[in-house]
Amino acid sequence: GMWCRTLLHYADWASNIPEISSFNCEDQFNLIFGRCVPAKWLIIAHRSLRNSKGRKVLLSGGSYIELDNSEENEHFEAHP
């Protein structure tokens, strides 16, 4: 599903960083996959903002943060 696709996109992107090739295979694996979860959340946040035209950021468990750009609402609200 979505987890596999975003993980593959991240691994493909990270493996094309020129400096990565200077590490041995074990270090490459540890560096790339050791940072995959934070990178995955950034990918999902970027996609959710892009797909909602900047109005929502998806969270886990079907929750999301709805961004209200009006001046009367100056904080984020999490919705289950």
Side-chain angles (χ1 to χ4, degrees), residues 2-78:
M2 184 177 75
W3 172 265
C4 292
R5 282 192 304 273
T6 56
L7 181 61
L8 286 174
H9 287 212
Y10 166 71
D12 184 47
W13 170 81
S15 66
N16 286 299
I17 297 171
E19 292 81 6
I20 294 290
S21 63
S22 67
F23 296 110
N24 65 42
C25 287
E26 183 179 349
D27 288 342
Q28 288 179 13
F29 180 84
N30 290 335
L31 181 65
I32 291 173
F33 290 102
R35 302 305 305 158
C36 71
V37 172
K40 180 193 177 311
W41 284 117
L42 288 173
I43 291 168
I44 290 172
H46 175 263
R47 287 182 180 176
S48 64
L49 281 171
R50 183 185 64 205
N51 293 335
S52 71
K53 296 182 172 63
R55 293 188 299 252
K56 295 178 184 173
V57 176
L58 298 177
L59 304 171
S60 63
S63 297
Y64 62 91
I65 294 174
E66 189 165 354
L67 306 176
D68 183 2
N69 293 328
S70 67
E71 292 182 19
E72 63 265 4
N73 187 4
E74 297 180 3
H75 65 280
F76 298 151
E77 296 179 32

